[in-house]
Amino acid sequence: MMRLNSIIALAGCLCFGVAQAAFAHGVKLTQQPTSAIEIQAAYDSGTPMVNAQVNVYAPDNPASPWRVGVTDDQGVFVFVPDPQKSGYWEVQVRQAGHGGVVSIPVGPDLGIGKSTPAPVQSSGSGVYNPLQKGIMLGSVIWGLVGTALFFSRRKSEGATGTLGSDTPRPDVGGLP
């Protein structure tokens, strides 16, 4: 029983101490209004998304990329939209399973990259809420306690002889 308590205490320390280091990270995209559109792609930590895949979709053909490219060493991608194609241009940035999409208004009625905040979709914020943390911790503790009980029961049964070779076999279907 002392060993079981030690295992539970160790599991609790590990879960509380290591849980904070296992966060994923999301993506933050910003835009700068100029004669061209500048996209700055960075992870939530502020690290630039270097050489991330960029797809630019024109308003008149959202199914096929109008321009394809990659970000530079600072996570920046610059393009000049066709002024004849008025509407919302979609820019998708992806790298290693992380990415986001930003919608940029372009045209005489909309302006080019107006200073109004564009909607940004992120692949993940990297923050777990308290309910998620509680469920994860409970699952780990449940698994550790179950494993400890399984192995402690197995040892105690073997030590008392309840499953030893001198235990008579039950009669199974009349077979000898």
Side-chain angles (χ1 to χ4, degrees):
M1 194 62 179
M2 174 91 166
R3 185 177 175 153
L4 176 63
N5 289 339
S6 299
I7 291 173
I8 291 173
L10 178 64
C13 290
L14 286 175
C15 290
F16 285 117
V18 179
Q20 295 297 325
F23 288 131
H25 51 274
V27 173
K28 183 176 91 175
L29 300 176
T30 59
Q31 64 173 347
Q32 292 291 329
T34 62
S35 60
I37 302 294
E38 179 181 301
I39 301 294
Q40 170 71 43
Y43 295 106
D44 284 344
S45 64
T47 306
M49 293 178 68
V50 178
N51 295 323
Q53 180 69 37
V54 180
N55 292 322
V56 179
Y57 297 91
D60 63 345
N61 189 4
S64 157
W66 177 78
R67 171 128 331 127
V68 175
V70 294
T71 59
D72 64 12
D73 292 341
Q74 301 300 316
V76 174
F77 179 79
V78 179
F79 72 99
V80 179
D82 184 348
Q84 303 301 318
K85 297 181 180 184
S86 182
Y88 286 90
W89 290 67
E90 301 285 327
V91 180
Q92 178 187 45
V93 181
R94 297 203 52 79
Q95 183 179 46
H98 300 280
V101 177
V102 64
S103 183
I104 303 167
V106 175
D109 297 337
L110 302 171
I112 294 182
K114 283 189 175 180
S115 60
T116 58
V120 175
Q121 298 172 354
S122 177
S123 64
S125 65
V127 178
Y128 295 110
N129 67 36
L131 177 63
Q132 291 171 319
K133 288 180 183 179
I135 290 172
M136 288 187 285
L137 179 62
S139 298
V140 169
I141 290 174
W142 181 267
L144 290 172
V145 169
T147 302
L149 289 174
F150 173 78
F151 284 111
S152 68
R153 178 177 170 213
R154 197 168 188 192
K155 284 183 182 180
S156 67
E157 285 178 354
T160 60
T162 56
L163 294 178
S165 60
D166 57 339
T167 306
R169 278 182 37 168
D171 186 19
V172 180
L175 296 176

